[in-house]
Amino acid sequence: MSGAHQPTAIAIRDDRLTGLYTLAYLEELLKRDWAVAHREQRSIAVFAVDIDALDLYNNTFGRAAGDSTIRRVAHIVSGCLRRSSDVTARIAGGSLMAFAPGLTHEQALQIGHLMAERVRELRIHHPRSAVLRYISISVGVCAAVPAAADSPSALLEKAQQQLQLAKKSGRNQAA
């Protein structure tokens, strides 16, 4: 079968629970947008989002309630990024990742704070959370203008590091 074209693997696009993209598909889209941002010297902002104390919520109210909460939080987070170029994905459990081309770090941080505020406004009761009486999220934010030596995966990693900083600083916030 010489000369036959082998189809390339395409990442599964949609997360079944939330309807958001999968991480693999987000990474494909980020690579594409990374090249454009590098060429145009435009920034890309990345958001790493995690629902605080989701395991305790699931233990208290059950998996179905936890899944419902994940769907509601995913809807709020993706709603904060409304442009057609903005992409939101569910990584696993209550963890989400998003990116938005053209945002400065300050603009991205404002959106990260907005995400946390809007999730608090849902007022989903969480009696076992040490953070708040309601479901909350921690958000790691990072933005950069891609340089030749940079990579999309490095930006995703920096956003994850900022997420860990938000968690260590008390959760229920953006860092």
Side-chain angles (χ1 to χ4, degrees), residues 4 17 43 45 58 66 70 79 106 131 171-172:
L17 178 65
S43 67
N58 283 339
I70 291 168
E106 292 76 23
V131 181
R171 302 180 190 268
N172 185 32

Side-chain angles (χ1 to χ4, degrees), residues 8 18 20 27 40 86 88 103 105 124 126 129 148 151 167:
T8 58
T18 62
L20 297 177
E27 288 173 335
E40 296 177 358
D86 300 342
T88 308
L103 294 180
H105 183 75
I124 300 171
H126 190 341
S129 174
S151 72
K167 288 176 168 282

Side-chain angles (χ1 to χ4, degrees), residues 47-152:
F47 304 84
V49 180
D50 195 48
I51 299 174
D52 298 326
L54 182 63
D55 53 343
L56 289 173
Y57 187 84
N58 283 339
N59 291 341
T60 304
F61 297 108
R63 178 89 184 241
D67 286 353
S68 175
T69 295
I70 291 168
R71 279 191 294 274
R72 291 177 70 190
V73 169
H75 178 74
I76 291 297
V77 168
S78 65
C80 290
L81 299 167
R82 288 179 256 142
R83 299 173 307 165
S84 62
S85 58
D86 300 342
V87 176
T88 308
R90 178 171 169 244
I91 301 174
S95 297
L96 309 171
M97 185 71 73
F99 75 86
L103 294 180
T104 65
H105 183 75
E106 292 76 23
Q107 291 168 325
L109 193 55
Q110 275 186 312
I111 291 172
H113 288 302
L114 180 66
M115 289 173 179
E117 180 182 325
R118 295 262 168 90
V119 168
R120 284 190 302 270
E121 288 173 356
L122 287 173
R123 301 186 79 67
I124 300 171
H125 185 62
H126 190 341
R128 295 182 61 198
S129 174
V131 181
L132 200 61
R133 293 183 343 189
Y134 303 102
I135 287 289
S136 62
I137 59 171
S138 296
V139 185
V141 179
C142 186
V145 175
D150 293 336
S151 72

